[in-house]
Amino acid sequence: MRKGFKLGVILGAGFIVLTVFAFLVIGCQKETRTISKATGKLTEAEALEKAEYFAGKGTVDLDILGSADLPTGEYFEIGDKDKTMLLHVNKDSGKVEMALLVDPYKRGNKDLTLEEAKAIALDFAKKEDIDFAKLTLTSASKNKKGDSCSEDGLGAKDGLCVFRWEEIAKDDIKLPHWVEIAVNYTTGEVVSVNTKDTPVTVSLDAKVTKEEALKKARGYIDFDVKKTETEIGV
């Protein structure tokens, strides 16, 4: 785990919640989204420049820490020497897709409302040219300070307002195009930003129903499920 960014384990109580995500890939080409392809891999210098622009040039001394090969793509891992700031720059798209900007454990004297924190998140997104034209706010939460069962103390989301915007297609299908921003409501600082915009080139017509997907998922569960939720995504 990185210094300053230990994720707390938030434990639920009362009943087990099973969330089933049915990711359906279908062969027809009826409703599609496209995006222009990158011309080549990003260089280290280009990635560093994009990271510095995103974090605010001159704010902190950033350097290439290494590379990360994740299921979502290949990234340059960029941060300061103390690793209190960390950014992932996609080697293909050149976009900063993940950024941990300040220590989430930091506490101030403010107590921003959810709406005040949302305004800060949107203002940050505007400065970073994050496009919200196709996105819908799907969740907004204000987490209590110190409300965590983590053995390591406060969880990373304690004291934060977390907002998530997603692109929703027909029949409430969630596409892999989203933005999540966390704001520390005690300091007014943007703590983290996560984004993704993956082109969808398959039909959005499902081959199976939510009920069929849920039935199939239940076949892999060997304990009693008290509550279930289904969601279709790509």
Side-chain angles (χ1 to χ4, degrees), residues 5-195:
F5 297 105
K6 293 181 179 179
L7 297 178
V9 178
I10 311 302
L11 300 179
F15 50 77
I16 299 172
V17 178
L18 171 64
T19 302
V20 181
F21 293 92
F23 292 88
L24 308 176
V25 180
I26 299 86
C28 300
Q29 298 287 329
K30 292 184 179 180
E31 182 176 334
T32 61
R33 295 167 66 250
T34 59
I35 189 170
S36 57
K37 294 183 178 180
T39 56
K41 295 286 186 182
L42 211 65
T43 65
E44 289 190 356
E46 291 171 334
L48 192 58
E49 182 179 3
K50 290 181 180 295
E52 289 175 340
Y53 176 82
F54 191 94
K57 200 169 182 63
T59 303
V60 64
D61 291 329
L62 297 176
D63 202 356
I64 303 290
L65 302 179
S67 295
D69 189 2
L70 305 176
T72 52
E74 294 181 72
Y75 301 86
F76 281 114
E77 197 172 67
I78 298 173
D80 62 320
K81 63 179 181 179
D82 294 324
K83 298 183 181 179
T84 55
M85 181 180 290
L86 179 67
L87 302 95
H88 279 177
V89 181
N90 191 301
K91 292 183 179 181
D92 290 309
S93 69
K95 293 181 179 180
V96 177
E97 293 187 359
M98 188 281 289
L100 299 173
L101 300 173
V102 297
D103 187 348
Y105 297 91
K106 185 178 178 181
R107 294 293 173 261
N109 298 319
K110 298 180 180 180
D111 187 12
L112 300 177
T113 66
L114 204 58
E115 283 302 311
E116 289 171 332
K118 178 183 173 183
I120 292 173
L122 288 172
D123 184 60
F124 180 91
K126 183 178 179 181
K127 290 178 181 177
E128 297 299 333
D129 298 321
I130 297 176
D131 185 11
F132 281 79
K134 296 181 179 179
L135 301 180
T136 300
L137 182 65
T138 55
S139 66
S141 62
K142 183 175 180 179
N143 300 287
K144 295 179 181 179
K145 290 174 285 186
D147 183 16
S148 172
C149 297
S150 170
E151 294 179 357
D152 296 324
L154 295 179
K157 288 188 175 182
D158 294 326
L160 304 184
C161 288
V162 182
F163 305 92
R164 186 177 178 88
W165 291 265
E166 299 179 85
E167 182 175 350
I168 311 296
K170 65 176 185 177
D171 300 324
D172 295 326
I173 298 175
K174 291 188 176 182
L175 301 181
H177 179 199
W178 48 267
V179 176
E180 185 173 275
I181 300 177
V183 177
N184 185 327
Y185 63 77
T186 73
T187 65
E189 296 177 305
V190 173
V191 171
S192 66
V193 181
N194 285 278
T195 70

